Amino acid sequence: MFQDESSSVTSSPLQVFSMMSLSPNLGSPYPWLRELKSEERGLYLIHLLLTCANHVATGSLENANIALEQISQLASPDGDTMQRMAAYFTEALADRILKAWPGLHKALNSTRITLVSEEVLVGKLFFEMFPFFKVAFVLTNQAIIEAMEGEKMVHIIDLNAAEPAQWIALIQALSARPEGPPHLRITGIHQQKEVLDQMAYRLTEEAEKLDIPFQFNPIVSKLENLDIEKLRVKTGEALAISSVLQLHSLLASDDELLRKKSPLASKNLNGIHLQRSLQMNQSTLGELLEKDVVNGYSPSPDSASSSPLSSTSSVKVDSFLNALWGLSPKLMVVTEQDSNHNGSTLMERLLESLYSYAALFDCLESTVSRASLERLKVEKMLFGEEIKNIIACEGAERKERHEKLEKWIQRLDLASFGNVPLSYYGLLQARRLLQGYNCDGYKMKEENGCVVICWQDRPLFSISAWRCRK
Amino acid sequence: MPVDLDNSSTASGEASVSSSGNQNPPPKSTTKKKRNLPGMPDPDAEVIALSPKTLLATNRFVCEICNKGFQRDQNLQLHRRGHNLPWKLRQRSSKEVKKRVYVCPEPSCVHHDPSRALGDLTGIKKHFCRKHGEKKWKCDKCSKKYAVQSDWKAHSKICGTREYKCDCGTLFSRRDSFITHRAFCDALAEESARAQTHPQPQNQNQAVANPSSESDPKVQAVDSSAPPAPAPTPAPAPASAPVQVSASAPAPAPTPAAPTLPQSTSVISSSVLPIRSSELPENPTPIVEEAPVPAPAPAGLNGSCSTSTSSGSNGGSRSSVFASLFASSTASTSLQPPQPPAFTDLIRAMGRPDRPADLAPSTSTEPISLCLSTNHGSSIFGTAGQERRQYAPPPQPAMSATALLQKAAQMGAAATNASLLRGFGIVSSSSSSEQQDSLQWGQRQVEPENASVPAGLGLGLPCDGSSGLKELMMGTPVFGPKQTTLDFLGLGMAAGGSPNGGLSALITSIGGGLDVAAAAAASFGGGDFTGKDIGRSS
């Protein structure tokens, strides 16, 4: 049971109070719920969501159940923005409650089918319906082109090779270089072989069309289990790495365990964690670390532990970044969500994610019709799943650990990467792209050389470029 | 890929310029640059035609190391020194600088002709952007777009600060333009013509003082002008009152009928204003006509009251309307007393059956009662809800989730102001669970009693908040200095606070309860924290 705070529960005054504070004139609950106007309903949903989350956090399941019941009267995946959001958030909260009964939870999820084709489709939908990926691709490509000026041999590593459009655009741009196209290699990493096959096919076709020497290397692997050797980075070639929404999952770790271990010196804690992780993931982290030691670059445990960030849980990501650093990339472009969904308590994460996903849902509401099946799919299979992960999961299971740009900057800086400001021309292209979407809500701002894409005022995604700093 | 530095090319010599430039340009002196009269370029000047690319380019000079852009080569050179790169500062050419004028590359443009060339490089750049460029800069508050950043900045400073409104709906931020406009405004002329039919020998300065004598014609005037009404909220911030009062003086002489109109409406408006001004800080809805008003309560207010207020503003001279409005609302001390009698007069007048019932009694009295009785906190679920059902809801899209969350945060913030103590108890218990090292004492005390909502108030609480709390709990219960800490923790915040803080405040208000209060009181060294102490701090 994920009980963040041990507490005794005084349920009834709370219940009555929360009811009373909002609806003084109205008597018994259910009948009037249906008559609420959209805005009132929205506010009431927020209120209920917060109340429910409160109950879940304190372990008062009876009250949480009541709140869920009430929300179910109002929420709907087909309704307005707030109704849809409430539907997914309550599903996440319910999932969280259910995890207290692991047997029950597993049984209910055992027959779930996840079709690869559906996942791929949702990814494509996200690419089409929102400008975020497109802007990220434009900026990434422009940064790569600029960094690779004059290079004859270019090697690009894509940490999540799912969308060919990015590299097709790059191939086209490189072929139009004044000094002629370079010899291009792209290494794509993904968990599904079919996706990589499709990508290989599309990219090779495009390169042949433009007569560019090209090679695509697929690697079927989870990122955390990635074997650096497989990347086959050769000496003499200029390396660029593109990471789109991949690094945050590396922040996942067994926080509960770590927190309970010791509240004292983080060094100690890290030592223990390192040991445990070495034991647990011997084929991966262990190998990575060993290899790094062999290569002459030894990330001392101290450097990992002295990180001011959530030091204990960042070992995975730190070692990954160190491994990447060891490849001496000329450029690494990192796109990440720019929200803090990695708070240690449920309520923190709930509040932050309410705002972030409100922005995303609003964005869909403004650009796509309510009846659209595609919209429903994106909301359910993409956002809904992310929300479920943020709210219902803990520890190593909770992969959607989005963090703010400042934290990423710190982390990358600690890993000896130096920031490369995104160029004016890249920004111009990105802005033009956003304007082409003809939607007022999309905003783009530049902060310290990094770009943040916002919906209205809410920052959603950040893009930054880095080089290897010796 | 840096932007090409397409340097200027002289299109022609100076001769062709002279056709219009035959008026005497001021003699060039070597000591000081003289400005030519606008539109008449110096006939001796060199005409330069730059390409659109050059004109649009900003930061043409880019550092190759870090890609930082600069507008001038000199700046770039100085920057390059920092990278230990070779740099060279070019000196100004020693010979006399030839005067240059610039033409616009767009063939259809007036300034394409060398005789209409502009004398300033920055000027031609801005001109090109403004007229032939895309408008990339958008104002946050309204929908105006600009191509030139400085224009946009200038506008943003102004936007929302508009103080003057003409009947015809035009808003002005400057008094002189407002007055000039009014003198020529058609709508104005119409209104004053109509107002002729109701002879009113009223001095506009005695606005609120003599309401009773004018109640009848006032009301009639209100009715007649009500139909063309619903203009959006005309009431600008009361702060502009002194300006307005003085504005009434130099106003073009209003017809004798005109001043009376304001009287009635000023009465109505003044009743609205005090409430609305309290609305304003919470809901900074810009005074834009098409903006859908997000919050229902002000919308309700606006919808209902605008008929009355705008009818007022449709009256004769706006300045006098405003003058009396602001005089009555802002000079609160002196003018409060007249309001009640004005009210009763108005209500009495409204209730008269012989009136053409454009303003049905219900609609005119209700806004008043609404204004009087509502407070923004309860308005959503209270009277405003009913109000809105009577007036067809404004044709606006459903409120976005983001806006709903912000509203909830504001409501929570407001509610929390009342429940400071409860918030107190909650923060202590949650922080204790979070910060193990810093709150040992609190922890021991609080956990046994336990707040009913130890709602992980790490929500939006900055890390430092816990140290403030620790101080609070460890130290003596001195509330004076701690007030700021509490605010810092987001407990006593105003509506302008961070959204997260607001939502957390909402939670605290939800989670409050007598138990928590008792727990908090008991936990803080018992007895010392009486309600009196708490009350003192809030």
Side-chain angles (χ1 to χ4, degrees):
Chain A
M1 163 67 105
F2 296 126
Q3 206 159 337
D4 300 281
E5 294 86 5
S6 60
S7 64
S8 64
V9 173
T10 50
S11 55
S12 29
L14 183 71
Q15 190 68 22
V16 170
F17 183 83
S18 67
M19 289 279 289
M20 277 176 64
S21 70
L22 280 203
S23 48
N25 306 325
L26 307 162
S28 72
Y30 294 13
W32 56 267
L33 280 179
R34 299 184 199 281
E35 287 156 21
L36 287 178
K37 293 245 178 319
S38 160
E39 176 179 331
E40 292 158 355
R41 181 179 57 208
L43 284 167
Y44 197 58
L45 275 172
I46 296 174
H47 179 83
L48 285 172
L49 269 175
L50 293 171
T51 313
C52 181
N54 245 338
H55 290 312
V56 173
T58 58
S60 40
L61 299 185
E62 272 304 310
N63 294 323
N65 183 44
I66 295 173
L68 284 174
E69 170 79 37
Q70 289 183 324
I71 299 179
S72 71
Q73 306 279 331
L74 298 173
S76 154
D78 303 317
D80 68 23
T81 328
M82 204 59 225
Q83 281 180 299
R84 291 177 186 230
M85 269 185 62
Y88 297 113
F89 271 91
T90 45
E91 191 182 346
L93 284 169
D95 198 54
R96 186 181 175 98
I97 296 174
L98 203 59
K99 286 193 193 237
W101 286 273
L104 198 59
H105 188 264
K106 290 196 179 92
L108 274 175
N109 289 323
S110 62
T111 57
R112 179 182 297 190
I113 309 172
T114 44
L115 288 173
V116 173
S117 56
E118 281 292 297
E119 287 181 5
V120 170
L121 175 67
V122 166
K124 284 228 182 296
L125 286 175
F126 185 78
F127 172 72
E128 288 295 326
M129 290 162 71
F130 294 103
F132 307 129
F133 273 3
K134 293 184 189 165
V135 167
F137 292 163
V138 157
L139 286 166
T140 309
N141 287 355
Q142 183 59 28
I144 292 179
I145 291 170
E146 284 167 12
M148 298 304 178
E149 227 170 299
E151 294 286 347
K152 299 280 189 277
M153 307 268 297
V154 174
H155 183 184
I156 299 185
I157 299 179
D158 186 351
L159 297 188
N160 184 39
E163 183 52 60
Q166 177 180 9
W167 306 122
I168 290 179
L170 182 70
I171 290 173
Q172 289 169 345
L174 283 175
S175 79
R177 273 205 321 189
E179 68 255 46
H183 188 279
L184 181 65
R185 269 176 65 206
I186 298 186
T187 303
I189 304 168
H190 200 87
Q191 292 189 44
Q192 273 113 23
K193 184 171 184 308
E194 300 87 354
V195 173
L196 288 174
D197 288 342
Q198 169 72 354
M199 189 145 205
Y201 175 71
R202 294 284 308 276
L203 294 185
T204 337
E205 179 186 49
E206 189 69 25
E208 274 173 21
K209 230 196 299 175
L210 294 169
D211 202 21
I212 299 184
F214 175 74
Q215 200 185 45
F216 183 80
N217 299 351
I219 299 186
V220 181
S221 167
K222 266 196 196 177
L223 211 57
E224 50 190 6
N225 302 337
L226 180 65
D227 181 2
I228 295 287
E229 289 296 304
K230 280 210 191 137
L231 293 174
R232 299 254 209 94
V233 176
K234 301 182 187 155
T235 49
E237 64 185 7
L239 179 64
I241 304 176
S242 164
S243 163
V244 176
L245 309 183
Q246 295 304 303
L247 291 183
H248 60 257
S249 62
L250 293 172
L251 292 172
S253 73
D254 218 349
D255 316 290
E256 287 285 322
L257 200 61
L258 297 172
R259 220 191 302 169
K260 284 177 186 147
K261 277 286 175 181
S262 149
L264 302 175
S266 53
K267 267 195 196 176
N268 227 353
L269 207 49
N270 270 331
I272 298 172
H273 180 76
L274 267 176
Q275 273 181 19
R276 291 186 59 82
S277 57
L278 278 174
Q279 288 159 12
M280 292 187 316
N281 307 328
Q282 266 180 4
S283 63
T284 60
L285 262 183
E287 275 184 5
L288 269 176
L289 288 174
E290 279 173 26
K291 288 205 170 84
D292 284 333
V293 172
V294 164
N295 288 339
Y297 176 70
S298 50
S300 66
D302 283 355
S303 66
S305 64
S306 56
S307 149
L309 311 169
S310 50
S311 49
T312 60
S313 60
S314 60
V315 173
K316 238 198 282 186
V317 72
D318 282 341
S319 57
F320 186 76
L321 287 175
N322 286 332
L324 289 183
W325 188 95
L327 299 172
S328 302
K330 194 151 188 208
L331 180 76
M332 178 165 75
V333 185
V334 175
T335 304
E336 278 292 331
Q337 286 96 341
D338 188 21
S339 312
N340 180 22
H341 294 155
N342 197 14
S344 42
T345 66
L346 170 68
M347 287 313 287
E348 273 180 87
R349 301 202 298 271
L350 184 87
L351 284 180
E352 271 299 312
S353 50
L354 269 178
Y355 280 103
S356 316
Y357 287 97
L360 285 167
F361 274 74
D362 282 340
C363 180
L364 279 175
E365 175 83 2
S366 305
T367 53
V368 184
S369 94
R370 282 192 193 169
S372 158
L373 186 61
E374 278 87 18
R375 172 177 167 187
L376 200 65
K377 283 191 181 171
V378 168
E379 284 174 353
K380 178 171 173 59
M381 294 171 59
L382 196 59
F383 299 153
E385 291 299 310
E386 284 179 9
I387 293 171
K388 213 188 280 189
N389 190 274
I390 295 173
I391 301 287
C393 298
E394 291 284 354
E397 235 189 353
R398 177 160 66 89
K399 299 263 184 228
E400 301 291 342
R401 298 198 180 216
H402 313 152
E403 284 192 345
K404 296 291 290 180
L405 177 62
E406 303 92 61
K407 281 211 163 161
W408 284 113
I409 291 178
Q410 266 183 306
R411 199 170 267 126
L412 286 161
D413 193 67
L414 268 174
S416 305
F417 283 96
N419 183 262
V420 176
L422 295 166
S423 77
Y424 175 75
Y425 189 59
L427 285 167
L428 194 61
Q429 285 182 301
R431 275 191 215 277
R432 290 231 178 92
L433 198 150
L434 267 187
Q435 279 159 4
Y437 259 75
N438 255 330
C439 180
D440 259 350
Y442 293 117
K443 310 244 192 301
M444 200 175 100
K445 51 180 177 168
E446 191 241 338
E447 279 175 16
N448 308 325
C450 311
V451 164
V452 178
I453 315 173
C454 313
W455 170 258
Q456 305 296 2
D457 289 326
R458 179 82 193 174
L460 291 174
F461 295 93
S462 70
I463 299 135
S464 53
W466 303 85
R467 64 180 170 82
C468 203
R469 196 179 62 211
K470 300 280 175 194
Chain B
M1 219 167 297
V3 179
D4 284 345
L5 295 181
D6 188 359
N7 267 328
S8 59
S9 54
T10 10
S12 67
E14 61 271 11
S16 53
V17 178
S18 55
S19 55
S20 66
N22 265 340
Q23 288 105 1
N24 270 327
K28 266 212 259 209
S29 75
T30 48
T31 55
K32 182 176 145 187
K33 247 188 171 180
K34 291 270 185 153
R35 286 191 105 177
N36 272 27
L37 297 167
M40 293 182 294
D42 186 352
D44 290 337
E46 182 186 18
V47 179
I48 300 191
L50 298 169
S51 76
K53 225 193 244 185
T54 320
L55 286 177
L56 283 177
T58 63
N59 297 355
R60 297 185 293 151
F61 304 93
V62 182
C63 171
E64 64 209 15
I65 300 288
C66 62
N67 276 335
K68 197 167 151 74
F70 299 90
Q71 298 211 349
R72 295 192 178 79
D73 187 43
Q74 325 278 71
N75 299 348
L76 172 63
Q77 295 304 320
L78 289 172
H79 167 82
R80 279 167 65 106
R81 290 199 304 191
H83 290 309
N84 297 326
L85 284 174
W87 55 278
K88 184 172 63 149
L89 279 175
R90 288 181 295 152
Q91 302 290 343
R92 264 191 80 161
S93 58
S94 49
K95 58 179 163 58
E96 172 85 22
V97 195
K98 194 165 175 99
K99 174 84 179 139
R100 288 178 171 167
V101 294
Y102 303 87
V103 290
C104 181
E106 172 69 28
S108 59
C109 183
V110 162
H111 293 290
H112 188 67
D113 184 9
S115 63
R116 295 294 308 274
L118 299 174
D120 186 44
L121 177 61
T122 317
I124 191 74
K125 280 178 157 179
K126 286 197 176 171
H127 156 78
F128 187 76
C129 266
R130 271 189 206 119
K131 294 285 156 55
H132 312 301
E134 54 173 334
K135 299 189 174 179
K136 290 184 267 179
W137 304 91
K138 182 185 165 312
C139 175
D140 288 341
K141 300 174 196 154
C142 65
S143 63
K144 287 192 98 163
K145 286 189 166 174
Y146 295 88
V148 179
Q149 187 182 15
S150 46
D151 291 353
W152 170 75
K153 268 194 194 163
H155 167 81
S156 308
K157 284 192 191 162
I158 298 270
C159 185
T161 64
R162 289 164 176 160
E163 298 173 351
Y164 310 85
K165 184 174 182 283
C166 177
D167 295 345
C168 60
T170 325
L171 291 161
F172 297 91
S173 58
R174 298 176 54 147
R175 196 187 108 190
D176 43 350
S177 36
F178 169 62
I179 294 170
T180 316
H181 165 84
R182 258 196 12 239
F184 297 106
C185 179
D186 290 343
L188 185 55
E190 230 177 77
E191 280 312 313
S192 43
R194 216 181 306 166
Q196 292 278 5
T197 60
H198 310 285
Q200 308 298 338
Q202 183 67 358
N203 185 352
Q204 66 201 23
N205 288 328
Q206 301 169 26
V208 185
N210 310 325
S212 45
S213 54
E214 272 80 36
S215 41
D216 257 332
K218 260 192 286 184
V219 172
Q220 277 182 330
V222 170
D223 288 343
S224 64
S225 53
T233 72
S240 57
V243 187
Q244 295 296 9
V245 173
S246 59
S248 65
T255 63
T260 58
L261 278 172
Q263 307 322 312
S264 58
T265 58
S266 71
V267 168
I268 305 174
S269 312
S270 60
S271 69
V272 171
L273 264 187
I275 311 298
R276 187 175 295 136
S277 58
S278 71
E279 297 284 352
L280 278 176
E282 267 85 47
N283 295 300
T285 318
I287 309 170
V288 180
E289 298 182 7
E290 77 275 12
V293 181
L301 270 179
N302 294 346
S304 55
C305 299
S306 64
T307 50
S308 38
T309 50
S310 60
S311 62
S313 55
N314 276 343
S317 60
R318 240 70 48 220
S319 60
S320 57
V321 172
F322 289 144
S324 49
L325 279 176
F326 295 125
S328 62
S329 64
T330 55
S332 52
T333 52
S334 53
L335 291 176
Q336 285 303 340
Q339 278 183 10
F343 255 168
T344 51
D345 284 335
L346 186 62
I347 293 171
R348 218 187 311 131
M350 291 294 188
R352 288 194 183 217
D354 56 341
R355 258 186 330 109
D358 275 358
L359 277 181
S362 59
T363 55
S364 52
T365 49
E366 265 170 9
I368 296 167
S369 56
L370 174 67
C371 299
L372 285 180
S373 61
T374 196
N375 74 53
H376 79 102
S378 63
S379 58
I380 309 261
F381 297 96
T383 54
Q386 296 147 16
E387 285 309 307
R388 277 183 32 243
R389 281 182 212 118
Q390 287 173 16
Y391 310 116
Q396 65 209 23
M399 211 169 157
S400 72
T402 318
L404 279 173
L405 282 168
Q406 280 168 353
K407 184 168 204 124
Q410 284 169 2
M411 285 169 65
T416 308
N417 280 328
S419 63
L420 202 57
L421 177 59
R422 288 185 226 115
F424 214 41
I426 290 168
V427 171
S428 67
S429 61
S430 68
S431 305
S432 67
S433 63
E434 300 247 272
Q435 309 283 337
Q436 298 153 2
D437 51 336
S438 62
L439 296 173
Q440 315 292 352
W441 182 82
Q443 202 171 357
R444 278 198 300 279
Q445 297 284 329
V446 175
E447 271 183 356
E449 282 86 7
N450 217 357
S452 49
V453 184
L457 263 188
L459 343 154
L461 284 183
C463 311
D464 304 332
S466 62
S467 59
L469 180 62
K470 169 185 178 182
E471 207 175 60
L472 204 60
M473 294 173 59
M474 297 296 209
T476 53
V478 178
F479 266 121
K482 298 305 189 293
Q483 181 71 29
T484 53
T485 313
L486 288 177
D487 280 338
F488 189 43
L489 292 173
L491 292 178
M493 51 183 257
S498 72
N500 279 356
L503 263 189
S504 64
L506 180 61
I507 295 176
T508 66
S509 73
I510 293 168
L514 290 175
D515 297 339
V516 178
S523 67
F524 295 122
D528 289 344
F529 285 57
T530 59
K532 152 172 81 72
D533 284 345
I534 310 292
R536 191 164 29 96
S537 71
S538 58

